[in-house]
Amino acid sequence: MENNLFNNVYDGKRVLVTGHTGFKGSWLSIWLKKIGAKVIGYSLESPTEPSMFKVCKLGTEITSIIGDIRDYSKLINVFKEYRPDIVFHLAAQPIVRISYKEPRETYETNIMGTVNVLEAARKVESVQAVVVITTDKCYENKEWIYGYRETDPMGGYDPYSSSKGCDELVVSAYRNSFYNKSGIALSSVRAGNVIGGGDWAKDRLIPDFIRAVSEDRSIVIRNPLATRPWQYILEPLSGYLWLGALMLQNKEKYSGGWNFGPKGTDVLNVQQILKLAVKNLEKGEIEIDRSIQPHEANLLKLDISKANTYLKWYPVYNVEKAVDNTMQWYKKYYEDSNENMYDYTMKQIGDYENEAKIHNLIWSE
């Protein structure tokens, strides 16, 4: 079965993943390894302790290079040495609240880091496609009840969100000015609030909840009614991988911006998602922080009709299954000291692939 996933495009391909030591980057690197890719990671050291990267001992499974995305000289040398076929750019400063404290670093990392990747990629002949991962927060959020479409304007209230809106403009400019002429495929992709095992980032809901439970204390939430498009980690990653495979086969048709969000029924508020987590773990207490907090959006949804129509991509798990899989991963980590978390992560990926095949999703055939 594995040999048929994503049209078997990645088997033997050299794939560069920036941000491979982060939560999403680690999961993506593991999945790429599973489907036969030769994975090269470029990133800073793991941003948290513990971390998905270290817990799964990913440094022994792929080529791992520690470096700053802002260091163009080092980055382009990596491109020249390893000559990737395709690049997934995830390296970023991804936390809204940190962006209020460190706006300059956020803009430098998120905007100039992307510029550096796009510059390096277009100067190395091996590169055929680049997928830049941004966020649903890149849109100019007007708190509309309908999902944002790829044609809606970019924006961003806070430094993090606006830096990602800028990222989208950078990608569009590079595609029009350079990539279309050189024949390299270039896309940007946006996902919702991603949950899954192995995330220990600060100021993210599920990691904050897991820390609170592991320390036998209540989780304090700032905005219980904030509504988000929650989705399991493998949902957007399947979209990224499928899009990347199609980009390698038809550069002109599949270059562009793409949303990979959950079903409309899986858009829940913060309090609702935490109640699912508490129910699954059968423990955990919730408190509400009523002090004044930095601005965060109250309502944010993605329209995924473009990916549905042109990529035939659809979510596999509903939000209940997403929470269940996430909690099961953390249970294994905290309660079973003998569990090999790399193997368990591989198992969760395999289960997801099998479920996609049952639903006859095109990328799993």
Side-chain angles (χ1 to χ4, degrees), residues 316 351-364:
V316 176
D351 291 344
Y352 179 84
E353 293 169 346
N354 291 334
E355 190 68 20
K357 193 171 183 65
I358 290 171
H359 287 83
N360 298 313
L361 295 192
I362 189 169
W363 61 263
S364 68

Side-chain angles (χ1 to χ4, degrees), residues 28-74:
L28 179 60
S29 297
I30 292 171
W31 201 351
L32 281 165
K33 176 76 184 299
K34 187 175 187 294
I35 56 179
K38 299 175 182 177
V39 184
I40 306 100
Y42 182 92
S43 180
L44 294 174
E45 294 280 0
S46 302
T48 63
E49 185 60 48
S51 70
M52 178 79 172
F53 179 78
K54 291 181 179 178
V55 165
C56 291
K57 301 178 182 178
L58 190 52
T60 65
E61 301 291 338
I62 67 170
T63 300
S64 176
I65 300 163
I66 301 303
D68 195 320
I69 202 69
R70 295 171 295 180
D71 186 346
Y72 179 70
S73 178
K74 183 170 184 175

Side-chain angles (χ1 to χ4, degrees), residues 96-97 100 141 143 156-158 223 293-298:
V96 171
R97 288 171 69 86
Y100 279 108
N141 188 7
E143 308 280 343
Y157 181 99
D158 57 86
N223 196 350
Q293 300 291 333
H295 173 273
E296 290 191 49
N298 285 308

Side-chain angles (χ1 to χ4, degrees), residues 342-354:
Y342 180 86
D343 289 346
Y344 187 73
T345 300
M346 281 284 200
K347 177 185 180 303
Q348 287 201 326
I349 293 173
D351 291 344
Y352 179 84
E353 293 169 346
N354 291 334

Side-chain angles (χ1 to χ4, degrees), residues 99-116:
S99 77
Y100 279 108
K101 298 176 182 177
E102 301 290 346
R104 186 169 179 269
E105 180 180 335
T106 298
Y107 285 115
E108 285 180 343
T109 302
N110 294 355
I111 300 173
M112 288 310 301
T114 297
V115 171
N116 287 344

Side-chain angles (χ1 to χ4, degrees), residues 59-345:
T60 65
E61 301 291 338
I62 67 170
T63 300
S64 176
I65 300 163
I66 301 303
D68 195 320
I69 202 69
R70 295 171 295 180
D71 186 346
Y72 179 70
S73 178
K74 183 170 184 175
L75 180 66
I76 194 167
N77 285 336
V78 169
F79 270 80
K80 289 178 178 178
E81 179 178 355
Y82 292 96
R83 301 187 60 78
D85 299 296
I86 184 169
V87 179
F88 290 94
H89 173 44
L90 290 85
Q93 191 299 98
I95 307 299
V96 171
R97 288 171 69 86
I98 291 177
S99 77
Y100 279 108
K101 298 176 182 177
E102 301 290 346
R104 186 169 179 269
E105 180 180 335
T106 298
Y107 285 115
E108 285 180 343
T109 302
N110 294 355
I111 300 173
M112 288 310 301
T114 297
V115 171
N116 287 344
V117 169
L118 297 181
E119 274 292 297
R122 76 187 186 94
K123 294 184 177 179
V124 176
E125 292 182 355
S126 64
V127 178
Q128 302 173 54
V130 179
V131 180
V132 176
I133 286 75
T134 65
T135 174
D136 57 347
K137 297 177 180 67
C138 69
Y139 290 107
E140 181 182 347
N141 188 7
K142 298 181 179 179
E143 308 280 343
W144 284 326
I145 61 172
Y146 63 78
Y148 289 91
R149 297 165 294 182
E150 289 85 349
T151 53
D152 286 325
M154 297 296 112
Y157 181 99
D158 57 86
Y160 166 72
S161 302
S162 67
S163 74
K164 288 300 188 176
C166 291
D167 255 0
E168 292 285 352
L169 299 179
V170 167
V171 170
S172 179
Y174 265 78
R175 183 166 49 244
N176 294 328
S177 301
F178 308 114
Y179 277 58
N180 287 344
K181 298 174 184 178
S182 66
I184 302 174
L186 175 59
S187 289
S188 59
V189 294
R190 307 122 194 187
N193 279 39
V194 174
I195 62 174
D199 189 3
W200 280 279
K202 293 182 179 179
D203 292 317
R204 281 190 187 148
L205 187 65
I206 295 300
D208 285 348
F209 171 72
I210 290 297
R211 267 190 296 273
V213 171
S214 67
E215 296 167 6
D216 196 25
R217 57 179 174 80
S218 300
I219 179 175
V220 180
I221 56 176
R222 303 182 298 270
N223 196 350
L225 300 182
T227 302
R228 298 287 184 270
W230 307 96
Q231 58 190 143
Y232 185 55
I233 177 66
L234 296 180
E235 305 286 15
L237 296 190
S238 69
Y240 305 166
L241 289 170
W242 181 228
L243 174 64
L246 294 174
M247 288 167 65
L248 289 172
Q249 296 169 353
N250 190 325
K251 296 176 176 62
E252 291 184 8
K253 183 175 182 180
Y254 295 106
S255 290
W258 300 87
N259 291 340
F260 295 102
K263 301 173 184 176
T265 53
D266 290 335
V267 178
L268 304 179
N269 67 39
V270 167
Q271 198 159 16
Q272 289 171 322
I273 201 78
L274 277 181
K275 286 182 177 179
L276 284 176
V278 170
K279 180 180 178 181
N280 191 287
L281 282 185
E282 297 182 337
K283 55 184 173 181
E285 298 291 335
I286 303 170
E287 292 183 11
I288 299 174
D289 182 354
R290 302 190 184 280
S291 63
I292 297 175
Q293 300 291 333
H295 173 273
E296 290 191 49
N298 285 308
L299 179 62
L300 185 58
K301 296 193 293 184
L302 290 174
D303 184 312
I304 58 173
S305 56
K306 181 182 177 184
N308 294 161
T309 302
Y310 295 103
L311 306 182
K312 305 303 178 186
W313 174 89
Y314 299 90
V316 176
Y317 289 163
N318 59 26
V319 68
E320 288 82 8
K321 180 63 174 176
V323 172
D324 177 68
N325 260 35
T326 301
M327 294 302 112
Q328 291 304 316
W329 195 101
Y330 286 114
K331 282 182 181 178
K332 286 290 184 183
Y333 174 74
Y334 283 105
E335 298 176 6
D336 189 347
S337 59
N338 295 319
E339 186 67 45
N340 181 314
M341 296 311 296
Y342 180 86
D343 289 346
Y344 187 73
T345 300

